[in-house]
Amino acid sequence: MADSMKGLKRTHYCGDVTEVGQEVVVGGFVDRIRNKGGVIFIVLRDRTGIVQLLFNDKSDPEIFEKASSCRGEYVLMAKGKVVERESKNYKIKTGLVEIFVDDLRILAKAQTPPFEIVSDSNVNEELRLKYRYLDLRREPLQKNIMMRHEIAKVTREYFYENGFLEIETPMMMKSTPEGARDYLVPSRVHQGKFYALPQSPQIYKQLLMISGYDRYIQLARCFRDEDLRADRQPEFTQIDLEMSFVDSEDIQECVEGFVQRVFKEVMGVEIPTPLPRLTFADAMNRYGTDKPDTRFGFEIHDISETIKNVDFVVFQNALNEGGSVRAINVKDGAGTYTRKEIDKLIEHAKGIGAKGLAYIRWADEPNCSFKKFLKDGELETICNAVGAEKGDLILICADKNKTVLSTLGAIRLICGKRLNVIPDDKYNFLWITEMPFFEYDDENNTWVAAHHPFTIPMEECLEYLDTDPANVRAKAWDLVLNGTELSSGSMRITDFELQQKMFEALGMTEDEIQAKFGFLVDAYRYGAPPHGGMGIGLDRLAMIMCKADSLRDVTAFPKVQNASELMSECPSVVDDESLSVLGIKVDVKEN
């Protein structure tokens, strides 16, 4: 049987034991054991760190025997006096002391774990996720989870100090179109009807503004049934906020203060404000993406005018079809990118949708893939247009603008990582402003909302709503950090007539409007203050601040690529009786 804790009460965490002469009681997991016959050292571990326990010929024989029976991951409590270590370890906080134990309790024994609980684990991630409760004992994950806690703590403190009220919104709500598939919850009482788990608290926080709660904050759980990737989970936490009687600049200024505060208090990093801004159009033209990583160069250059007379059919076809020819200058890339390496980039470009890449590799002399089509001086003109010098690599894409920008944006990142020019100790925040209001759906040949339908267009664009959707810009913005989108925000429509017009512009009928958004539209009739807000991804923010590779590294119990959780094996089959109560029959379709 396990020992009892009776008579012992923990006085210190393992990582806080530093003062010689103290009487302390610690508890934790056995990290490792060194049994040298007459002397036993047990390293005890908890979430704060480790401390060494000492047992020798001066120990009570019964305690010494108990210590010798301990194995890795046993749960112990130990009482004793802090003494100076003979063999000191200056690399850790507790490395100058150890505890001479006079009372040892084995609270729980442990089987040999399926993998070693060490910081640098080379174990298959699938196995670690299956035994996530063991994986979470490892120091790197514990540091991440604790930093995430600190971020959440500072978040609440900052917004409380700035007059925000934390208000919970429902976890079961009406299914409304918000850009991704809903997770649906069947109703037992109202059979055949379903609740939806919130993709975001968007509608409720707007209703709170109409209700007069002018500053709302919530660390909201959100759910989206969409394909996963490194920075996306089906359930995630959003620092959700909404403000009344403000404009976009007020909201952005408030968030900049939060960014400054959280980086300073959690990491000791100074973030200068105001944060830089780029319009959506500028971001796309310079970086090929609306979430650019600005920690390095290799920006996109439009060389359409420069090459308009070059007799190269690939270039001319792109221009004749209304596209463009653009290039990135990979500084000092010629030495790294051999012809074989360039061929890999070309294949990657084709995978994105481009027909290929042209290139100029300037090692000793410029080596140009389309040199035979150039007249005297044209090669030098192209090099000058992108600021190329000896040692550089110029990569050129010619196609429709959308294809060119997405291709070079992706290639730019690949080259930046390959040349190791992206500093991991730099935090480049960026506001992306003047987002397009509509985006074109190629499959259905129609314009659709690029944001939720309550986003207000910029005043100067209202005249284009019916005639020129491509030119309508939204009073919306994104917050980007090191190439990751942290947040989207916007000012909301509060005018009943304008809201109706927006729904109509999106092709919604009166019946559809009433069925999906009737309660919100009705609320507008009773007076709505000007308001707007944002939702900042807490998980993504923690991922970047922890320098983690994936959201899984900052989430206690994450899902994997197919949205399952390996540890508990969910989702799982539900018995027929439970389904019958809900009035549901399952028709499993083959994938």
Side-chain angles (χ1 to χ4, degrees):
M1 287 186 62
D3 293 335
S4 168
M5 284 177 53
K6 189 174 181 180
L8 286 187
K9 185 176 181 180
R10 183 167 62 177
T11 63
H12 291 72
Y13 280 100
C14 293
D16 296 334
V17 177
T18 57
E19 190 175 329
V20 173
Q22 281 186 315
E23 288 283 343
V24 299
V25 179
V26 293
F29 299 93
V30 173
D31 192 70
R32 55 188 181 273
I33 303 171
R34 287 179 293 147
N35 191 333
K36 298 191 172 184
V39 180
I40 298 173
F41 299 102
I42 295 179
V43 177
L44 201 65
R45 179 189 74 242
D46 65 19
R47 65 183 172 94
T48 66
I50 58 175
V51 68
Q52 184 165 282
L53 309 181
L54 169 65
F55 308 85
N56 59 24
D57 56 1
K58 295 178 182 177
S59 300
D60 181 291
E62 186 177 335
I63 291 176
F64 190 89
E65 185 63 28
K66 191 180 285 188
S68 68
S69 73
C70 290
R71 298 291 180 267
E73 300 310 309
Y74 275 28
V75 181
L76 309 180
M77 285 195 79
K79 172 179 165 292
K81 188 174 183 178
V82 182
V83 299
E84 190 176 348
R85 278 177 67 163
E86 287 188 16
S87 177
K88 295 179 174 56
N89 182 349
Y90 292 93
K91 294 180 180 179
I92 61 173
K93 184 180 175 183
T94 60
L96 306 184
V97 299
E98 57 195 2
I99 302 171
F100 180 75
V101 177
D102 57 40
D103 190 355
L104 180 68
R105 312 282 178 90
I106 299 177
L107 303 182
K109 295 182 179 180
Q111 293 182 169
T112 301
F115 52 86
E116 195 175 2
I117 313 297
V118 293
S119 293
D120 299 321
S121 177
N122 294 319
V123 177
N124 175 285
E125 186 184 30
E126 190 171 309
L127 181 64
R128 290 194 288 108
L129 287 170
K130 181 175 175 60
Y131 296 94
R132 184 63 167 183
Y133 46 86
L134 296 177
D135 197 30
L136 284 168
R137 293 181 186 178
R138 296 192 306 114
E139 183 185 19
L141 279 182
Q142 290 201 334
K143 284 185 174 179
N144 288 354
I145 296 299
M146 287 190 286
M147 181 180 279
R148 181 192 168 107
H149 160 76
E150 285 298 315
I151 294 167
K153 175 174 172 286
V154 172
T155 298
R156 284 191 163 97
E157 290 172 349
Y158 173 81
F159 285 105
Y160 292 169
E161 290 170 15
N162 282 275
F164 285 77
L165 301 175
E166 184 165 11
I167 306 174
E168 291 183 350
T169 52
M171 293 295 283
M172 296 194 301
M173 58 180 285
K174 182 183 178 69
S175 178
T176 57
E178 289 198 42
R181 287 182 296 272
D182 285 328
Y183 280 103
L184 299 175
V185 180
S187 170
R188 176 185 60 82
V189 177
H190 307 281
Q191 290 200 0
K193 295 184 178 180
F194 295 82
Y195 303 99
L197 298 180
Q199 293 186 32
S200 77
Q202 182 62 50
I203 292 177
Y204 285 105
K205 67 181 182 179
Q206 289 189 241
L207 288 169
L208 286 170
M209 297 300 105
I210 294 172
S211 302
Y213 300 93
D214 65 307
R215 290 196 166 201
Y216 144 92
I217 183 71
Q218 183 183 190
L219 270 60
R221 295 295 285 168
C222 304
F223 306 84
R224 294 179 184 175
D225 186 5
E226 55 190 357
D227 295 334
L228 306 194
R229 57 191 186 207
D231 64 350
R232 181 186 286 169
Q233 282 277 304
E235 51 183 317
F236 57 95
T237 302
Q238 189 167 284
I239 303 168
D240 201 49
L241 63 116
E242 196 82 3
M243 303 169 69
S244 291
F245 304 105
V246 294
D247 207 336
S248 52
E249 289 77 14
D250 301 307
I251 299 170
Q252 291 161 12
E253 183 179 350
C254 181
V255 170
E256 288 182 355
F258 162 66
V259 164
Q260 264 193 330
R261 173 84 164 265
V262 74
F263 270 78
K264 178 66 174 176
E265 290 199 14
V266 176
M267 299 181 68
V269 172
E270 297 281 357
I271 301 295
T273 58
L275 302 179
R277 295 164 179 261
L278 272 182
T279 65
F280 174 88
D282 284 344
M284 294 300 297
N285 286 327
R286 289 172 58 182
Y287 300 100
T289 176
D290 60 353
K291 48 185 178 184
D293 190 337
T294 59
R295 290 175 294 173
F296 69 109
F298 305 173
E299 291 187 22
I300 297 171
H301 300 264
D302 189 342
I303 59 170
S304 301
E305 188 66 24
T306 303
I307 56 81
K308 66 181 180 181
N309 294 321
V310 171
D311 191 19
F312 182 31
V313 67
V314 174
F315 292 172
Q316 293 306 317
N317 284 347
L319 296 179
N320 291 337
E321 292 171 8
S324 59
V325 181
R326 304 183 193 229
I328 58 172
N329 178 14
V330 182
K331 298 298 294 182
D332 300 317
T336 299
Y337 280 97
T338 61
R339 174 59 192 272
K340 188 175 181 181
E341 291 275 345
I342 294 171
D343 286 342
K344 290 180 183 177
L345 290 178
I346 293 172
E347 288 306 308
H348 192 90
K350 289 179 179 178
I352 297 170
K355 298 181 181 68
L357 293 174
Y359 67 87
I360 301 170
R361 180 174 176 266
W362 191 346
D364 294 327
E365 294 291 334
N367 177 19
C368 178
S369 62
F370 52 98
K371 187 174 183 178
K372 64 181 180 181
F373 301 102
L374 297 176
K375 298 189 258 316
D376 287 346
E378 288 183 334
L379 179 58
E380 183 180 358
T381 300
I382 295 171
C383 290
N384 288 339
V386 298
E389 302 171 314
K390 185 175 181 179
D392 294 346
L393 171 68
I394 304 170
L395 298 170
I396 304 171
C397 187
D399 213 310
K400 295 178 181 177
N401 288 340
K402 186 175 180 180
T403 301
V404 170
L405 292 172
S406 61
T407 300
L408 290 180
I411 296 296
R412 171 182 178 267
L413 285 174
I414 291 171
C415 293
K417 291 172 184 175
R418 179 74 174 83
L419 292 176
N420 198 29
V421 297
I422 308 177
D424 65 358
D425 59 348
K426 195 173 183 181
Y427 299 96
N428 278 24
F429 282 91
L430 180 68
W431 290 113
I432 304 295
T433 63
E434 298 187 26
M435 309 292 286
F437 194 89
F438 297 102
E439 57 189 10
Y440 195 73
D441 183 346
D442 291 317
E443 289 186 13
N444 298 309
N445 294 320
T446 187
W447 290 94
V448 296
H451 313 272
H452 57 71
F454 316 113
T455 299
I456 194 168
M458 298 181 74
E459 287 83 352
E460 61 268 31
C461 298
L462 290 173
E463 61 182 291
Y464 303 125
L465 278 175
D466 299 320
T467 58
D468 192 2
N471 273 332
V472 181
R473 301 188 307 282
K475 214 167 192 180
W477 58 88
D478 285 352
L479 180 61
V480 174
L481 172 57
N482 292 356
T484 295
E485 180 193 317
L486 286 184
S487 172
S488 290
S490 70
M491 297 303 297
R492 323 303 190 188
I493 297 173
T494 55
D495 179 82
F496 171 76
E497 292 182 0
L498 178 58
Q499 184 64 74
Q500 287 291 110
K501 188 176 179 65
M502 291 311 308
F503 285 140
E504 291 166 7
L506 295 171
M508 295 178 69
T509 66
E510 189 62 41
D511 288 343
E512 285 179 307
I513 296 168
Q514 194 60 37
K516 294 175 180 177
F517 303 111
F519 62 100
L520 179 62
V521 173
D522 287 345
Y524 287 150
R525 299 176 189 270
Y526 296 96
H531 62 273
M534 299 180 64
I536 304 167
L538 176 61
D539 314 79
R540 291 184 180 181
L541 181 61
M543 181 181 76
I544 295 174
M545 292 177 75
C546 291
K547 294 186 170 66
D549 295 324
S550 166
L551 290 183
R552 292 194 291 272
D553 296 330
V554 296
T555 305
F557 299 102
K559 305 292 192 292
V560 294
Q561 185 67 34
N562 64 1
S564 66
E565 193 222 283
L566 301 182
M567 184 189 69
S568 65
E569 298 182 337
C570 79
S572 58
V573 173
V574 176
D575 61 73
D576 290 339
E577 183 179 350
S578 298
L579 292 174
S580 177
V581 170
L582 297 168
I584 288 177
K585 288 185 179 180
V586 175
D587 180 16
V588 178
K589 289 183 167 53
E590 296 283 338
N591 288 328

